[in-house]
Amino acid sequence: MSGFTRSIKDLHLDLTNRCTARCPQCLRYNPNYRLKSGLNKNDLSFDLIKSQIDKSIFENCDQVTHSGTTGDPTMNPEIVPIIDYIQKINPKIFVRIHTNGDMHDPDWWYNFGLLMKNTPSDVQFAIDGLSDTHELYRVNTKYERIIENAKAFIKSGASSSWQFIYFKHNQHQLSEVRELASQLGFKRFKPLRSTRFIFNNKTKVTNKGKTWFLEPSTIINEEMITGLDSKKDCISCQSMDYKMIYIYPDGTVWPCYFLGGIHVWNKNDPHLQIDLSIIKREIGELPTIHDDTLSNILKSKQWNKWQFVLKGYLVTCKQQCSGVSTEQEEFGLGFNL
C-alpha cells in the first residue's frame, strides 16, 4: 500500500460546533442531557481556510460537505464568504450543507439561496415531522420559522432537500410530510431511521417542565444493523474508498466524520474513549491546520500512520465501515447527522 488518503475528492469542512437546537440523541449531549464540555466554542475561520488549505485542493475536489457533526454550519458567521470563495475557485465543485434551518430569517435564507443558485449544490433541511411532532426531537427549534426559511431559500431557485428522521411518534406522518416537501418545492426527500437506539429502546427527554420519550420507529425491523454485527474482519475504509478528509471546527484533521471530533464529544462513552486512546497511541498528537497546511499534513509520515484503522482496532470503524453497504447508509441504517 502506497499510503493513506492523500488525494481528496470529498472534503468535509465542519464549520462550527455551535448550535441552538437541543436534539436529545445528538452527540453534543451526555446521557443526562447536558451539553458536553468543549462545545459551542469553535468556528473554522475564513482566514484559516484561505491560508491553510491550498487552492489546488479545492480545484481537484469533487465535493465539499458542511455536515455539522456537533454544530449547525449556518451558525458560522463567515459561511457566506467561505462558500463564495470555494465556488469561485472551482465552479464545478458540489457543495452540500446540512442544517436544521432554525437560524436567521427568510431574507437571509433568500440571499443565501441566490449564492447557491445555478451551482452544483444542495442544502439539506432537517425537519422531523409536522408542527405537532417536529419539536419533540428538534428541541429548541421552531417548526414554523424553519418552514418560512426553507420557503425563502427555495424561492431563490436554489436546490434543497428535506431530511426526515422518523421515530415512533412521527412515523404516521411519513406520507403527509413527503407530500408537503413536494408541494413546497424541495428537490429531494430523504427519510432516515434513527440509529441512536443501539443501547436502549427509549430516550427520555425533559424540557421546559415537560417529559416525554423518544422510541424507535416500528415501520421496519428495528434490529440495529451496524458493522458490529458483521462477521467480516476487514475494514473498508471510507476515507480511502472515497478519498474523504474531515476537518473538525477546532482545526484538527481526521480521516472521516465518523471519527472526527471524538476528542471533544467522547465524554461518557467508553467505546469512544477506548478508540481515542488507541488513536493517541498510534497517531500521537492530532494534526491541525492551525500548525501546518492541509497539504503538508497529508504528506507527512504521521498522517500515513492512519493506515492502522484497516486492522479493525477501533469500534467506530467496525461499526461504520465493516459490513454496512452504501445503500444502508443512504437510508439511515448507518450514521445520521
Side-chain angles (χ1 to χ4, degrees), residues 11-265:
L11 177 60
H12 285 243
L13 293 178
D14 209 343
L15 295 181
T16 184
N17 59 19
R18 306 174 194 273
C19 189
T20 59
R22 298 186 67 243
C23 305
Q25 294 182 323
C26 180
L27 301 172
R28 293 168 54 83
Y29 295 97
N30 63 28
N32 295 320
Y33 201 29
R34 295 185 181 277
L35 185 70
K36 296 175 183 176
S37 60
L39 295 172
N40 286 349
K41 292 183 178 181
N42 304 110
D43 301 302
L44 287 180
S45 72
F46 184 26
D47 286 342
L48 183 67
I49 290 172
K50 285 193 299 182
S51 64
Q52 300 300 94
I53 302 179
D54 297 343
K55 287 185 177 181
S56 61
I57 289 178
F58 293 119
E59 289 171 348
N60 296 308
C61 204
D62 293 334
Q63 176 173 291
V64 171
T65 301
H66 306 293
S67 54
T69 303
T70 53
D72 192 294
T74 63
M75 288 203 71
N76 185 311
E78 297 181 298
I79 185 173
V80 170
I82 288 171
I83 292 175
D84 185 50
Y85 171 76
I86 294 171
Q87 289 177 330
K88 284 179 177 176
I89 293 175
N90 183 356
K92 295 182 180 180
I93 200 167
F94 188 89
V95 177
R96 175 175 283 112
I97 299 169
H98 297 254
T99 179
N100 63 41
D102 189 63
M103 276 65 69
H104 310 296
D105 58 26
D107 286 341
W108 187 93
W109 281 100
Y110 178 78
N111 290 320
F112 190 57
L114 294 179
L115 173 67
M116 311 296 287
K117 181 182 178 181
N118 299 323
T119 67
S121 62
D122 183 64
V123 172
Q124 184 169 290
F125 289 82
I127 311 174
D128 301 325
L130 301 173
S131 60
D132 59 331
T133 57
H134 167 78
E135 294 168 36
L136 294 178
Y137 181 65
R138 300 285 169 178
V139 176
N140 212 35
T141 69
K142 295 296 181 184
Y143 175 82
E144 290 79 9
R145 177 166 58 224
I146 295 167
I147 293 297
E148 290 305 310
N149 287 343
K151 287 165 64 176
F153 182 81
I154 292 168
K155 184 179 179 180
S156 73
S159 176
S160 60
S161 298
W162 180 318
Q163 175 192 283
F164 173 62
I165 300 179
Y166 54 97
F167 301 85
K168 186 176 181 179
H169 70 263
N170 66 1
Q171 63 184 21
H172 63 287
Q173 297 177 332
L174 183 58
S175 296
E176 190 176 354
V177 171
R178 187 192 301 271
E179 178 61 27
L180 178 60
S182 177
Q183 291 175 3
L184 293 178
F186 284 90
K187 297 297 183 183
R188 279 161 294 277
F189 179 72
K190 186 177 181 181
L192 299 174
R193 177 170 62 94
S194 174
T195 62
R196 295 180 179 170
F197 292 100
I198 293 175
F199 300 111
N200 57 68
N201 286 322
K202 284 188 178 183
T203 297
K204 184 178 180 180
V205 187
T206 300
N207 187 57
K208 296 181 179 179
K210 297 181 180 180
T211 298
W212 63 92
F213 289 92
L214 297 178
E215 297 180 73
S217 167
T218 59
I219 288 180
I220 60 176
N221 188 339
E222 288 301 329
E223 179 181 358
M224 294 306 165
I225 304 170
T226 74
L228 294 177
D229 303 309
S230 174
K231 298 185 184 305
K232 296 180 180 179
D233 294 325
C234 63
I235 298 295
S236 180
C237 177
Q238 293 194 34
S239 178
M240 299 191 73
D241 292 347
Y242 302 115
K243 299 185 184 300
M244 179 196 302
I245 298 296
Y246 172 91
I247 302 179
Y248 192 68
D250 64 357
T252 50
V253 184
W254 302 78
C256 64
Y257 57 90
F258 299 122
L259 293 172
I262 66 171
H263 62 308
V264 173
W265 51 263

Side-chain angles (χ1 to χ4, degrees), residues 258-280:
F258 299 122
L259 293 172
I262 66 171
H263 62 308
V264 173
W265 51 263
N266 76 89
K267 310 294 189 303
N268 296 314
D269 187 324
H271 296 295
L272 291 179
Q273 289 177 8
I274 292 172
D275 279 2
L276 183 59
S277 67
I278 295 173
I279 290 170
K280 289 182 176 179

Side-chain angles (χ1 to χ4, degrees), residues 97 231 281 305 310 316 322:
I97 299 169
K231 298 185 184 305
R281 182 191 72 198
K305 293 179 181 179
L310 298 175
T316 302
S322 171

